[in-house]
Short mmCIF file of all heavy atoms in Angstrom, two decimals:
data_model
loop_
_atom_site.label_atom_id
_atom_site.label_comp_id
_atom_site.label_asym_id
_atom_site.label_seq_id
_atom_site.Cartn_x
_atom_site.Cartn_y
_atom_site.Cartn_z
N THR A 274 -151.97 39.18 -257.08
CA THR A 274 -151.57 38.42 -258.27
C THR A 274 -151.82 36.94 -258.06
O THR A 274 -152.00 36.48 -256.93
CB THR A 274 -150.09 38.65 -258.56
OG1 THR A 274 -149.33 38.04 -257.52
CG2 THR A 274 -149.76 40.13 -258.65
N THR A 276 -149.75 34.62 -258.04
CA THR A 276 -148.68 34.01 -257.25
C THR A 276 -148.77 34.38 -255.77
O THR A 276 -147.97 33.92 -254.96
CB THR A 276 -147.30 34.46 -257.78
OG1 THR A 276 -147.25 35.89 -257.75
CG2 THR A 276 -147.07 33.96 -259.19
N GLY A 277 -149.73 35.24 -255.40
CA GLY A 277 -149.92 35.56 -254.00
C GLY A 277 -149.32 36.88 -253.56
O GLY A 277 -149.31 37.19 -252.38
N PHE A 278 -148.79 37.69 -254.48
CA PHE A 278 -148.24 38.98 -254.11
C PHE A 278 -149.35 40.02 -254.00
O PHE A 278 -150.26 40.05 -254.83
CB PHE A 278 -147.20 39.44 -255.15
CG PHE A 278 -145.90 38.73 -255.03
CD1 PHE A 278 -145.64 37.60 -255.78
CD2 PHE A 278 -144.92 39.19 -254.16
CE1 PHE A 278 -144.44 36.93 -255.67
CE2 PHE A 278 -143.71 38.53 -254.05
CZ PHE A 278 -143.47 37.40 -254.80
N VAL A 279 -149.23 40.85 -252.98
CA VAL A 279 -150.21 41.93 -252.76
C VAL A 279 -149.54 43.26 -253.09
O VAL A 279 -148.48 43.57 -252.55
CB VAL A 279 -150.68 41.93 -251.29
CG1 VAL A 279 -151.68 43.07 -251.07
CG2 VAL A 279 -151.32 40.60 -250.94
N THR A 280 -150.14 44.01 -253.99
CA THR A 280 -149.60 45.32 -254.37
C THR A 280 -150.62 46.40 -254.03
O THR A 280 -151.76 46.34 -254.48
CB THR A 280 -149.29 45.36 -255.88
OG1 THR A 280 -148.40 44.31 -256.19
CG2 THR A 280 -148.66 46.69 -256.26
N ILE A 291 -146.68 49.79 -253.59
CA ILE A 291 -145.94 49.11 -252.53
C ILE A 291 -146.25 47.62 -252.64
O ILE A 291 -147.42 47.24 -252.63
CB ILE A 291 -146.34 49.61 -251.13
CG1 ILE A 291 -146.12 51.11 -251.03
CG2 ILE A 291 -145.59 48.87 -250.05
CD1 ILE A 291 -146.63 51.69 -249.74
N THR A 292 -145.24 46.80 -252.78
CA THR A 292 -145.46 45.36 -252.93
C THR A 292 -145.27 44.64 -251.61
O THR A 292 -144.23 44.79 -250.97
CB THR A 292 -144.48 44.77 -253.97
OG1 THR A 292 -144.68 45.46 -255.20
CG2 THR A 292 -144.74 43.30 -254.18
N LEU A 293 -146.28 43.92 -251.21
CA LEU A 293 -146.23 43.10 -249.99
C LEU A 293 -146.45 41.66 -250.39
O LEU A 293 -147.17 41.38 -251.33
CB LEU A 293 -147.33 43.53 -249.00
CG LEU A 293 -147.39 45.02 -248.64
CD1 LEU A 293 -148.58 45.26 -247.74
CD2 LEU A 293 -146.12 45.44 -247.94
N ARG A 294 -145.87 40.76 -249.64
CA ARG A 294 -146.10 39.34 -249.94
C ARG A 294 -147.24 38.86 -249.08
O ARG A 294 -147.16 38.87 -247.85
CB ARG A 294 -144.84 38.52 -249.67
CG ARG A 294 -145.01 37.05 -250.00
CD ARG A 294 -143.68 36.35 -250.17
NE ARG A 294 -142.98 36.84 -251.34
CZ ARG A 294 -141.78 36.42 -251.70
NH1 ARG A 294 -141.16 35.52 -251.00
NH2 ARG A 294 -141.20 36.92 -252.78
N GLY A 295 -148.30 38.38 -249.71
CA GLY A 295 -149.49 37.98 -248.97
C GLY A 295 -149.42 36.56 -248.44
O GLY A 295 -148.56 35.78 -248.79
N LYS A 296 -150.35 36.21 -247.59
CA LYS A 296 -150.42 34.87 -246.98
C LYS A 296 -150.73 33.80 -248.01
O LYS A 296 -150.42 32.65 -247.83
CB LYS A 296 -151.48 34.87 -245.88
CG LYS A 296 -151.12 35.73 -244.69
CD LYS A 296 -152.18 35.63 -243.62
CE LYS A 296 -151.82 36.48 -242.42
NZ LYS A 296 -152.87 36.41 -241.37
N ARG A 297 -151.37 34.19 -249.12
CA ARG A 297 -151.78 33.19 -250.10
C ARG A 297 -150.60 32.49 -250.76
O ARG A 297 -150.73 31.42 -251.28
CB ARG A 297 -152.64 33.85 -251.18
CG ARG A 297 -153.96 34.36 -250.65
CD ARG A 297 -154.85 34.80 -251.78
NE ARG A 297 -156.10 35.34 -251.30
CZ ARG A 297 -157.08 35.70 -252.10
NH1 ARG A 297 -156.96 35.60 -253.40
NH2 ARG A 297 -158.20 36.20 -251.59
N SER A 298 -149.44 33.15 -250.76
CA SER A 298 -148.27 32.56 -251.41
C SER A 298 -147.74 31.38 -250.65
O SER A 298 -146.98 30.57 -251.18
CB SER A 298 -147.17 33.61 -251.56
OG SER A 298 -146.70 33.97 -250.26
N GLY A 299 -148.10 31.27 -249.36
CA GLY A 299 -147.62 30.17 -248.55
C GLY A 299 -146.18 30.35 -248.13
O GLY A 299 -145.56 29.45 -247.60
N LYS A 300 -145.58 31.51 -248.38
CA LYS A 300 -144.18 31.77 -248.03
C LYS A 300 -144.12 32.81 -246.92
O LYS A 300 -145.04 33.59 -246.70
CB LYS A 300 -143.41 32.27 -249.25
CG LYS A 300 -143.40 31.29 -250.40
CD LYS A 300 -142.64 31.87 -251.57
CE LYS A 300 -142.65 30.91 -252.75
NZ LYS A 300 -141.94 31.46 -253.90
N LYS A 301 -143.01 32.83 -246.22
CA LYS A 301 -142.83 33.80 -245.15
C LYS A 301 -142.70 35.19 -245.76
O LYS A 301 -141.92 35.41 -246.68
CB LYS A 301 -141.59 33.46 -244.34
CG LYS A 301 -141.74 32.18 -243.54
CD LYS A 301 -140.51 31.92 -242.70
CE LYS A 301 -140.68 30.66 -241.87
NZ LYS A 301 -139.49 30.38 -241.05
N GLY A 302 -143.43 36.13 -245.23
CA GLY A 302 -143.38 37.49 -245.74
C GLY A 302 -143.29 38.49 -244.62
O GLY A 302 -142.78 38.21 -243.55
N LEU A 303 -143.85 39.67 -244.83
CA LEU A 303 -143.81 40.71 -243.82
C LEU A 303 -144.78 40.41 -242.69
O LEU A 303 -145.85 39.86 -242.92
CB LEU A 303 -144.19 42.06 -244.48
CG LEU A 303 -143.23 42.57 -245.57
CD1 LEU A 303 -143.80 43.83 -246.18
CD2 LEU A 303 -141.85 42.82 -245.00
N THR A 304 -144.40 40.79 -241.49
CA THR A 304 -145.29 40.63 -240.35
C THR A 304 -146.40 41.66 -240.44
O THR A 304 -146.26 42.69 -241.13
CB THR A 304 -144.53 40.81 -239.04
OG1 THR A 304 -144.04 42.15 -239.00
CG2 THR A 304 -143.39 39.82 -238.93
N LYS A 308 -146.28 45.41 -242.28
CA LYS A 308 -147.22 45.75 -243.34
C LYS A 308 -147.94 47.06 -243.01
O LYS A 308 -148.16 47.91 -243.87
CB LYS A 308 -148.25 44.61 -243.51
CG LYS A 308 -147.68 43.38 -244.16
CD LYS A 308 -148.77 42.33 -244.32
CE LYS A 308 -148.23 41.07 -244.96
NZ LYS A 308 -149.26 40.03 -245.13
#
Side-chain angles (χ1 to χ4, degrees):
T274 68
T276 57
F278 284 93
V279 179
T280 303
I291 302 174
T292 302
L293 307 176
R294 182 161 293 178
K296 292 182 179 179
R297 294 189 182 185
S298 66
K300 300 179 182 179
K301 292 183 179 179
L303 297 175
T304 63
K308 287 182 181 180

